[in-house]
Amino acid sequence: MSLALQLAEKGRFTTHPNPRVGCVLVKDDQVIGQGWHHQAGQPHAEINALADAKAQGNATEGATAYVTLEPCSHHGRTGPCCQALAKAKVVRVVAAMQDPNPQVAGKGLGYLQNQGIITTSGVQQAAARALNVGFLSRMEKGRPWIRLKLAMSLDGRTAMDNGQSKWITSAAARADVQRMRAEADAILTATGTLLADDPKLDVRDEGAFQLPELHRQPLRVIVDSKLQTPHQARIFESNGQVLIASAIKGEHPQAEVVQLPQQNSQRVDLIRLMDLLGQREINQIHVEAGPVLAASLLKAGLVDELVVYMAAKLMGNTARGLFDLPELQQMADAIDLQIQDIRAIGKDWRITATVL
Ligand code: AOF
Ligand code: ZN
């Protein structure tokens, strides 16, 4: 299963909107075939592993299949993997987890059992879930998994009072951010950030980060309540689509505009936006925005993971903080986080945390 998880990992940047899945076929204690899912529309991991065994001249009869996700039972873009495994006469299927996709959910394993195949589920489940946080969030909650990326000085500042913020972190941290953008299906920002920094918010080779093969530009989503995104903004320069979420009705020459006003306010309803993105098969969102959108997402319970790069700089008391949360007055109001990981990235530190 560890090998199957490593194979699944190879699809990290390319399987969208499908999950990342790996499969290993074992017979007489030997690996006889390996495969992973590369891209939606292409064969699933199991089919690739069976083809690999065949290409090597290995008979699959009597083999055990280790799969990081329950084999599918539906006719989607491709045929059902559970049937292919049964046809290949495997005798045992070990899955890391059930597929939460309602089209499959238990039916794949059920089919295999009916064919007399021994099944096990739940082996290395935590690792398998971690690999597909986005797909699981969309299937289980109907909305994408959201990661908020921030950069700050040692004294917790994210921009000078005049708005300057280039650059707080080093080139190594910026290359790390490219990798995170690349694994997301969509990048979310706000007009304030476009007006202040005019970022491209695309995925590109940067430093040690090289664009993965088969990669496509993520959808860029702009929260733009008053429809102020400039027609010439650099976000429109790269390939890939841009979606503007606005509180007012209107059009934009460079992007699709959806009107999603919050009740009794001039702002965009972020929960409805996430539901819409879930319907559009967006699994994972990467947010790069300023303190206003960061705070709104946090308050709406829409931050699944916070990634903060901390640079060894002091920016002083007139510089701006990470979250615009003026309503926090008492220590009792403080928002508690749980740190999941801290590591050095070049000269900077990267802190990964979740909201408690
Ligand atoms: C598997 N093995 O490698 C993957 C699975 O549209 P399709 O035909 O590609 O089906 C996509 C669905 O199949 C996806 O939503 C998920 O439930 C499952 N993905 N299943 O047996 C795989 N990628
Ligand atoms: Zn399948």
Side-chain angles (χ1 to χ4, degrees):
M1 189 60 81
S2 297
L3 178 56
L5 286 162
Q6 282 174 32
L7 291 165
E9 180 65 43
K10 291 177 189 262
R12 175 168 293 276
F13 300 103
T14 56
T15 62
H16 152 101
N18 279 354
R20 299 140 184 162
V21 183
C23 176
V24 176
L25 297 166
V26 174
K27 197 166 134 182
D28 301 329
D29 290 334
Q30 301 288 323
V31 171
I32 60 158
Q34 312 182 26
W36 74 93
H37 185 48
H38 297 217
Q39 206 174 27
Q42 289 185 16
H44 287 179
E46 299 88 325
I47 307 303
N48 284 333
L50 291 170
D52 180 45
K54 195 169 173 198
Q56 293 189 57
N58 294 328
T60 52
E61 185 168 359
T64 294
Y66 292 86
V67 202
T68 61
L69 187 71
E70 171 182 7
C72 69
S73 54
H74 69 300
H75 290 268
R77 282 167 278 238
T78 61
C81 291
C82 59
Q83 282 180 21
L85 289 168
K87 210 173 140 213
K89 298 198 163 62
V90 306
V91 290
R92 190 168 159 237
V93 172
V94 181
M97 59 177 293
Q98 276 205 13
D99 186 346
N101 183 349
Q103 287 182 289
V104 181
K107 295 189 208 115
L109 291 170
Y111 173 90
L112 293 166
Q113 285 156 14
N114 287 337
Q115 299 296 309
I117 294 168
I118 303 164
T119 66
T120 310
S121 178
V123 174
Q124 295 208 42
Q125 175 144 225
R129 288 191 66 91
L131 189 69
N132 283 312
V133 281
F135 176 76
L136 297 179
S137 174
R138 177 163 69 85
M139 288 296 157
E140 293 171 355
K141 300 189 210 166
R143 70 149 172 95
W145 184 86
I146 303 161
R147 175 190 272 152
L148 173 63
K149 172 258 162 185
L150 303 155
M152 69 173 193
S153 59
L154 190 53
D155 54 347
R157 307 294 161 161
T158 192
M160 301 309 282
D161 190 38
N162 66 8
Q164 281 176 16
S165 62
K166 283 185 182 146
W167 295 106
I168 298 171
T169 52
S170 65
R174 299 205 298 276
D176 196 49
V177 170
Q178 286 298 327
R179 184 188 52 74
M180 272 194 278
R181 284 183 185 176
E183 70 175 54
D185 310 340
I187 296 177
L188 179 73
T189 192
T191 347
T193 302
L194 297 188
L195 293 171
D197 302 341
D198 201 14
K200 277 175 87 171
L201 290 176
D202 60 351
V203 184
R204 53 185 180 265
D205 290 335
E206 191 161 312
F209 175 80
Q210 301 217 314
L211 270 186
E213 231 184 302
L214 297 177
H215 183 263
R216 83 278 162 246
Q217 289 296 335
L219 172 74
R220 267 73 51 79
V221 183
I222 309 168
V223 175
D224 182 6
S225 304
K226 302 195 199 94
L227 218 46
Q228 293 171 314
T229 299
H231 296 182
Q232 307 304 331
R234 287 175 69 224
I235 197 168
F236 300 116
E237 280 174 19
S238 57
N239 300 330
Q241 292 179 317
V242 180
L243 177 74
I244 295 177
S246 180
I248 61 171
K249 203 172 156 66
E251 287 178 0
H252 195 284
Q254 310 263 45
E256 178 191 352
V257 178
V258 288
Q259 194 191 357
L260 296 169
Q262 211 170 38
Q263 258 189 348
N264 312 320
S265 100
Q266 317 286 307
R267 310 180 88 168
V268 170
D269 189 326
L270 295 172
I271 301 217
R272 279 173 65 200
L273 173 61
M274 293 309 165
D275 288 345
L276 175 80
L277 294 174
Q279 283 158 20
R280 293 193 181 191
E281 297 193 308
I282 298 295
N283 290 339
Q284 187 172 332
I285 295 186
H286 173 88
V287 187
E288 289 191 44
V292 176
L293 184 60
S296 302
L297 288 167
L298 200 64
K299 284 189 274 187
L302 291 172
V303 177
D304 294 300
E305 185 177 276
L306 263 157
V307 173
V308 184
Y309 293 89
M310 184 177 76
K313 280 188 178 65
L314 299 174
M315 290 168 64
N317 259 355
T318 58
R320 304 174 191 170
L322 292 181
F323 291 91
D324 185 32
L325 292 166
E327 64 276 28
L328 304 185
Q329 301 287 332
Q330 312 287 330
M331 265 324 284
D333 301 334
I335 294 167
D336 284 318
L337 306 177
Q338 171 129 30
I339 292 181
Q340 305 291 352
D341 183 80
I342 299 188
R343 67 185 64 212
I345 306 284
K347 292 187 297 182
D348 304 315
W349 287 89
R350 189 184 73 194
I351 303 165
T352 306
T354 46
V355 182
L356 276 181

